Amino acid sequence: MFNLSRINWFSRLPIVNNWRQNIQISPLTAVEDSLSLRVLVLALVIMGTVAVDIAAETTFSFWAVPLSVVGAVWSYRYRRNPNVPIKFCIAIGMLIGLGAFFGRLLGELNDTRLALAELLIQLQILHSFDMPRRKDLGYSIVIGLILLGVAATLSQTLAFAPVLLLFLAIALPTLVLNYRSQIGLDKSKVKSQKAKEVPLKLNLPFYFLLFSLIVGLGLGIFAVLPRFPGYQLRTFPVSSPIDVKGGFTGRSIINPGYVRQGNAENQGNGTGESQTGQPGKLNDSSYYGFNSQINQNLRGNMTPKVVMRVRSQAEGFWRVLAFDRYTGKGWEISRNEDVITLKRSPWSYQIYLSPPATSAQTREVVQTYTVVADLPNLIPAMTHPKEIYFPTPVVAVDKEDGLRSPVGLSEDLTYTVISEVPYRDRTLLGKATTKYPQHIQKYYLQIPPEIASKVRKFTEEILANYSRDNVSRVSKTLDSPYEKALYLAQYIKQRYSIPENTFDFPYLSEKEDLVEAFLFKHQGGYPDHFSTVLTMMLRSIGIPARLVAGFSSGEFNPFTGMYVVRNTDAYAMTEVYFPKYGWFAFDPIPNHPLIPPSIEDSQTFSVLRQFWNWVAGWLPSPVTGLFNNVFGTIFTWTTRAIAWFFALFTQGWLGILTGLTLGTTIAFFAWLGWVQWREWLQRRWLSKLPPMERLYQQMLQWTALKGLGKHPAQTPLEYAKVSYQHHAPATAQVIDEISQAYVSWRYGGHTPNLHQLRQKWQELKKVNGR
C-alpha cells in the first residue's frame, strides 16, 4: 500500500504529468499524413544508398533497401502511436552501430568515408521505423544528401552521373511537397487523399522545366569553374593493410603478364622466349617493359584495357622503372640486386623516401592511384617521390629511383604518393656543367663498342649540319647537352617512322644491333625503339642518358577529376642527366609531345578548353588564333590571380589577414555591384510596364521594404485588407485605393485617375520616409 501511494504521488508531479501528456498528445499534433512525401523521401534515401554502392562497389543496397522499405511502411502505419518500445530499440541499435563504427575505424584510419557511409545507412534504417513528423522526414532527406555527397567523393567513373540526375529529379517534388506541408496547404479545404495528389501530377511540366534549368545551369557553372585536380587537404586514401609473409628483398619483379606455370617470378616474355633478344610475340595484356630485362625484338599489339585511375594535382608521366645497360636488342637493370628496403611505422601508412637532390625549383604534387587491373609489383609514381602512403609495411627503392612492392598491385588497391617535382627551366638546364660524377659516367655512358664509333660519327654529322644550316640565323646554338638532346629528339621524331602494321618490321638477326638497324637499315621501328636510339646517340657523344618506362598521363575525365590510364598508355622514353639538376625526360616518339607533360601544364579550365577546341574547329584559322590569344591571356591571368590569392593563406598570420581583408573587400564590391545591377534591372522592368501597373508594382516594392510583402497566393484586394492590420489607417487607405484602381483597370477596363493616385503616393512616401 505504501509503494502504491508513493507511485501515485510520483505520477502527480508536474514534470511527470507534463511528460505523459507530451507522449500522448505531441505525436497526434505533429503527425505527417502525406503519403506522397513519405514515398519520395524513401526514394531519396534509396538513391543515396545505391549511389554509395555504385561509387564504392559495395553491396549495402541488398540489405539496406528492403529494411528501409519495411521501416517506412511500419512508420506510416503506426505514425499516430507513441511507439515507446520502438524508440528504445532504435536507441539501443544506434549505440551498437556507433560501437561497430569505431571498431571499423581502427582498420581504416586513413580513409573513413566508407565507414561513415555504412554508419549513416544503419542509422537511417533504424530511424525509418519511427518517422511520424515532417521534421523526421527532413532528417532522412539530409541523410540521403550526405550519402550522395560521400558517393561523389568515392566515385571514379561517370556511372555516378545517372544516379545524381535521378536524385535531383526526385528531390524537386520532394522539396515542393515538404514546403506545402510546412505552410499547411495540404490540410486546408482538402477532404480526400486523391485531391491532395492532384498538384503533384499537374505540375509535371513545371518540374521538368525546373529540372532542365538546374541541370543546364549546373553544367554551365561546371564548365567555367576552375578545376584543381587533386587534393587541397592532406587526407590521403589508402587501401586496407596488407600483411607480407616472409622476407622481402625487393630484388624480384612479379609481372602477371609474364607468369609461367610453376614460376611466379619468371622474367620471360610470356611466349616461351627469354629476355636475351630472341624473336617472340608481345603479351597482349601487359607491357613488356616492366621487368628487370626487356627484349625489344618482340612483335605484336596489346588489347586496350583500363589498368588504373589517377587523381593528381598535375598532369605527368607515371614513372615505373628505368634501365641503364643496353644489350644490343633491349635493356636490363645492371644493379637489380642493389635495392634499399624502407619500412613504415605500425600506426601509420606513411613511408618517407629520399628523392634525388636537385637545385631546380620544385613543386609538391600529390597523386592517388587506384589499380583497376592487376599490375606488376612496380609502383607507378611521378618523378622525385618523397612520401608514399602504401598498404604494405615495407617497400623497396632501386638504384634507378623505381619503387617496388612486396606484392603485385592487385585490382582495387589504392595508394598515394607525394612527389617533389622539379620545374623544367630550359635556361638553367642549358647552363648545366658537363663535369659528370664518376658513378654517372660508369653506368650511363655505356654503349656497345661494335656500334659506338658509327653512331657517334652519325650523331656528330647531324649536329654539324644543324650548325651549318643555321649559321646566318638568329637562333639557339647547340652548345649545351640540353639543346643537343632537344634537337636530336626532334630530328629522330621527324626523320624516322613507325610501321603501320606491327609485323611489317622484321625481327633482328642474332648478330644485328637494334640501334644500327634503326638508323641505317630500316629507317624506323616501334615506338620504344625511338627512345632506345636517342639514348644511344646521346651516350655516343658523352651525354649520360638512360631508358625510362612508365605510363603517360592517360585521358583526363573532367567530370571525375581523374586520369584514366590504359595498358596501351605504357611506353619508354629517354632521361638525360644534368649535374645539380638531375634527370629530365625527352620523348622522340612520333605523335608524342617532345617534352612530356608535367607541372607546367594545368587542367584548371579543362572543360572550357575542350568546348573551345570543338568550337574552334568550325572557325577560320585567323579568328581562332585571335581568340586563342585573347582567351589564353584571360585564363593565364585568372589562374595566376587565383593561385596568388590562395598562396596568401600559406604565408603566416600576416598572409592570412591580408587574404581575409582582400576577400572581404572583393565580396563587398561584388555585393555592391550586384545590388546596383538588380536596381537597374528593376528600373528597366518598371519602365516597360503600363502606368497603372507600374504604380501598383512600386507600391508593392515599398510595402515589402516596410515588412509586409505580398504573398503570391493573395489577390490585390486581400492584400489591401490585410494592410489595415500592419499600417497606419492613412497609409492603409492609400494602399487600398491603389489596389482598387489596379483591379478596376486590370479586370474591369476602367481608366484610373493616375494624377490623383500618384499625388497621394508621393505624399505617403514623404510622410513615411522613402
Side-chain angles (χ1 to χ4, degrees):
M1 193 70 176
F2 171 76
N3 291 336
L4 182 60
S5 62
R6 291 290 298 274
I7 292 175
N8 291 334
W9 173 82
F10 180 76
S11 64
R12 289 195 297 270
L13 289 175
I15 297 177
V16 177
N17 191 37
N18 291 338
W19 177 78
R20 290 178 59 187
Q21 291 178 358
N22 289 334
I23 289 294
Q24 296 174 358
I25 296 176
S26 59
L28 296 177
T29 58
V31 70
E32 177 57 60
D33 290 319
S34 175
L35 182 60
S36 298
L37 179 59
R38 289 178 175 273
V39 171
L40 290 175
V41 170
L42 176 62
L44 286 180
V45 173
I46 291 176
M47 283 297 100
T49 306
V50 171
V52 172
D53 278 350
I54 292 176
E57 298 182 357
T58 54
T59 57
F60 296 147
S61 299
F62 287 104
W63 52 270
V65 172
L67 290 177
S68 296
V69 173
V70 172
V73 173
W74 172 278
S75 178
Y76 180 73
R77 182 173 181 180
Y78 297 100
R79 64 190 183 278
R80 300 187 183 278
N81 296 348
N83 296 324
V84 176
I86 294 296
K87 287 181 171 63
F88 274 108
C89 292
I90 291 174
I92 294 172
M94 288 183 174
L95 291 175
I96 294 174
L98 187 62
F101 168 72
F102 285 117
R104 286 192 297 272
L105 285 184
L106 298 178
E108 302 176 7
L109 292 177
N110 246 54
D111 190 2
T112 61
R113 293 173 295 176
L114 203 56
L116 176 61
E118 186 174 0
L119 173 65
L120 286 175
I121 292 173
Q122 294 170 353
L123 295 182
Q124 167 55 32
I125 292 174
L126 295 171
H127 174 66
S128 66
F129 281 87
D130 185 39
M131 297 189 301
R133 303 168 298 174
R134 184 181 64 256
K135 183 190 298 185
D136 299 318
L137 297 176
Y139 296 150
S140 294
I141 294 175
V142 172
I143 290 178
L145 186 61
I146 293 175
L147 290 175
L148 189 75
V150 172
T153 64
L154 292 170
S155 177
Q156 298 181 357
T157 67
L158 288 179
F160 172 73
V163 182
L164 177 62
L165 295 177
L166 189 57
F167 187 93
L168 175 61
I170 298 173
L172 292 177
T174 304
L175 295 177
V176 171
L177 289 179
N178 183 69
Y179 180 70
R180 288 174 59 86
S181 176
Q182 184 178 354
I183 63 178
L185 290 181
D186 288 342
K187 298 179 181 179
S188 59
K189 301 179 182 180
V190 179
K191 297 183 178 180
S192 66
Q193 184 66 28
K194 184 177 181 180
K196 294 181 183 180
E197 307 301 329
V198 171
L200 181 61
K201 297 177 182 177
L202 294 180
N203 285 335
L204 285 179
F206 167 73
Y207 291 136
F208 179 77
L209 178 62
L210 186 60
F211 175 83
S212 303
L213 181 63
I214 293 174
V215 172
L217 184 62
L219 290 176
I221 295 174
F222 179 83
V224 300
L225 194 67
R227 190 161 290 97
F228 304 98
Y231 296 93
Q232 309 306 319
L233 298 175
R234 299 181 70 87
T235 301
F236 306 129
V238 183
S239 297
S240 299
I242 299 176
D243 294 329
V244 178
K245 297 180 180 180
F248 170 61
T249 63
R251 300 170 182 172
S252 299
I253 297 177
I254 308 169
N255 192 326
Y258 298 97
V259 175
R260 294 180 188 170
Q261 186 176 2
N263 186 5
E265 297 184 4
N266 181 269
Q267 300 299 316
N269 56 37
T271 61
E273 304 297 336
S274 69
Q275 295 287 319
T276 58
Q278 296 298 319
K281 183 180 179 182
L282 287 172
N283 186 281
D284 62 356
S285 61
S286 297
Y287 179 62
Y288 77 107
F290 296 154
N291 281 289
S292 59
Q293 299 177 343
I294 60 172
N295 177 10
Q296 293 187 307
N297 199 18
L298 305 178
R299 306 292 180 263
N301 286 322
M302 286 189 293
T303 302
K305 68 175 182 179
V306 177
V307 293
M308 64 181 181
R309 299 188 184 93
V310 184
R311 187 183 301 277
S312 173
Q313 291 178 314
E315 184 179 7
F317 180 75
W318 319 127
R319 191 180 187 277
V320 176
L321 79 170
F323 303 87
D324 62 334
R325 179 181 295 169
Y326 175 64
T327 62
K329 295 181 178 63
W331 291 83
E332 66 181 11
I333 303 175
S334 65
R335 295 172 288 176
N336 187 60
E337 304 294 316
D338 190 359
V339 297
I340 300 174
T341 56
L342 302 173
K343 296 183 178 180
R344 62 173 172 84
S345 62
W347 55 83
S348 173
Y349 290 98
Q350 186 180 39
I351 299 178
Y352 289 98
L353 308 172
S354 298
T358 178
S359 298
Q361 183 183 357
T362 61
R363 172 185 162 189
E364 184 181 270
V365 179
V366 181
Q367 321 117 61
T368 292
Y369 300 80
T370 299
V371 179
V372 178
D374 290 349
L375 291 173
N377 64 321
L378 303 170
I379 305 174
M382 285 189 76
T383 184
H384 290 65
K386 66 175 185 178
E387 298 175 34
I388 182 171
Y389 294 75
F390 204 75
T392 62
V394 60
V395 297
V397 183
D398 63 28
K399 288 297 182 180
E400 310 302 330
D401 304 319
L403 302 177
R404 302 183 183 184
S405 164
V407 296
L409 307 187
S410 58
E411 184 178 355
D412 293 331
L413 183 141
T414 299
Y415 65 94
T416 298
V417 177
I418 303 178
S419 299
E420 199 68 37
V421 182
Y423 281 92
R424 191 186 191 106
D425 190 320
R426 183 173 181 175
T427 303
L428 289 178
L429 295 178
K431 296 178 180 179
T433 180
T434 55
K435 296 181 180 180
Y436 302 108
Q438 187 63 35
H439 72 280
I440 294 294
Q441 298 183 42
K442 179 179 179 181
Y443 293 104
Y444 304 110
L445 291 177
Q446 172 265 339
I447 183 173
E450 297 82 6
I451 65 169
S453 59
K454 190 174 183 179
V455 173
R456 180 176 62 254
K457 181 179 179 181
F458 181 72
T459 304
E460 290 174 345
E461 288 178 357
I462 294 173
L463 298 177
N465 290 336
Y466 172 86
S467 301
R468 184 169 54 253
D469 294 340
N470 293 273
V471 67
S472 60
R473 301 180 188 177
V474 179
S475 62
K476 286 184 176 292
T477 58
L478 301 181
D479 56 355
S480 70
Y482 186 90
E483 297 302 329
K484 292 177 181 178
L486 201 64
Y487 177 70
L488 289 174
Q490 187 68 38
Y491 181 90
I492 297 172
K493 185 190 294 283
Q494 295 177 348
R495 299 296 180 92
Y496 297 90
S497 61
I498 301 174
E500 295 182 3
N501 192 317
T502 56
F503 290 98
D504 284 348
F505 192 77
Y507 288 104
L508 300 173
S509 63
E510 183 178 353
K511 297 183 180 180
E512 204 169 9
D513 184 272
L514 169 64
V515 175
E516 188 177 23
F518 181 101
L519 292 174
F520 308 113
K521 182 177 180 181
H522 301 301
Q523 297 297 307
Y526 283 155
D528 288 355
H529 295 174
F530 285 76
S531 302
T532 293
V533 170
L534 175 61
T535 305
M536 288 296 102
M537 292 176 73
L538 292 172
R539 287 186 175 187
S540 70
I541 57 175
I543 299 176
R546 65 185 179 188
L547 192 79
V548 60
F551 295 97
S552 67
S553 56
E555 181 182 359
F556 181 70
N557 187 333
F559 292 96
T560 62
M562 306 193 77
Y563 296 91
V564 181
V565 183
R566 295 174 172 81
N567 57 345
T568 50
D569 291 324
Y571 70 100
M573 57 183 177
T574 300
E575 279 188 340
V576 181
Y577 181 78
F578 300 93
K580 296 199 308 180
Y581 298 105
W583 296 91
F584 287 85
F586 296 81
D587 192 344
I589 301 175
N591 301 320
H592 283 205
L594 186 61
I595 304 300
S598 187
I599 52 178
E600 292 82 8
D601 301 290
S602 173
Q603 295 284 359
T604 305
F605 293 99
S606 57
V607 179
L608 201 58
R609 185 183 298 111
Q610 292 174 12
F611 176 75
W612 166 244
N613 290 338
W614 177 80
V615 173
W618 299 87
L619 298 176
S621 298
V623 177
T624 302
L626 174 63
F627 282 134
N628 277 333
N629 291 333
V630 173
F631 290 139
T633 303
I634 293 175
F635 289 148
T636 299
W637 282 103
T638 302
T639 305
R640 289 178 180 176
I642 294 174
W644 174 80
F645 177 75
F646 284 107
L648 288 176
F649 294 92
T650 64
Q651 299 177 7
W653 286 109
L654 182 60
I656 293 175
L657 291 175
T658 304
L660 291 176
T661 303
L662 182 60
T664 304
T665 305
I666 294 174
F668 169 72
F669 282 106
W671 170 82
L672 190 61
W674 171 251
V675 170
Q676 296 298 322
W677 170 257
R678 289 185 60 186
E679 289 182 357
W680 178 81
L681 289 178
Q682 193 71 26
R683 290 193 299 269
R684 188 168 178 267
W685 173 68
L686 288 174
S687 64
K688 297 180 180 180
L689 297 177
M692 184 65 240
E693 187 170 2
R694 185 187 311 136
L695 179 61
Y696 176 71
Q697 292 295 339
Q698 288 174 339
M699 183 217 36
L700 291 181
Q701 293 176 9
W702 181 82
T703 54
L705 292 176
K706 296 298 182 181
L708 182 62
K710 178 182 174 296
H711 193 278
Q714 287 179 312
T715 66
L717 298 182
E718 289 175 340
Y719 177 70
K721 184 178 179 180
V722 173
S723 67
Y724 283 96
Q725 303 174 12
H726 295 270
H727 295 287
T731 302
Q733 179 65 31
V734 176
I735 295 174
D736 192 7
E737 289 182 14
I738 294 176
S739 299
Q740 292 283 355
Y742 173 74
V743 172
S744 299
W745 167 80
R746 180 71 180 265
Y747 302 104
H750 299 291
T751 303
N753 189 345
L754 285 173
H755 178 72
Q756 182 181 1
L757 291 174
R758 284 198 185 103
Q759 186 177 3
K760 290 184 178 182
W761 173 244
Q762 294 299 332
E763 292 176 356
L764 176 64
K765 290 198 295 183
K766 288 180 181 179
V767 173
N768 292 275
R770 301 183 66 88

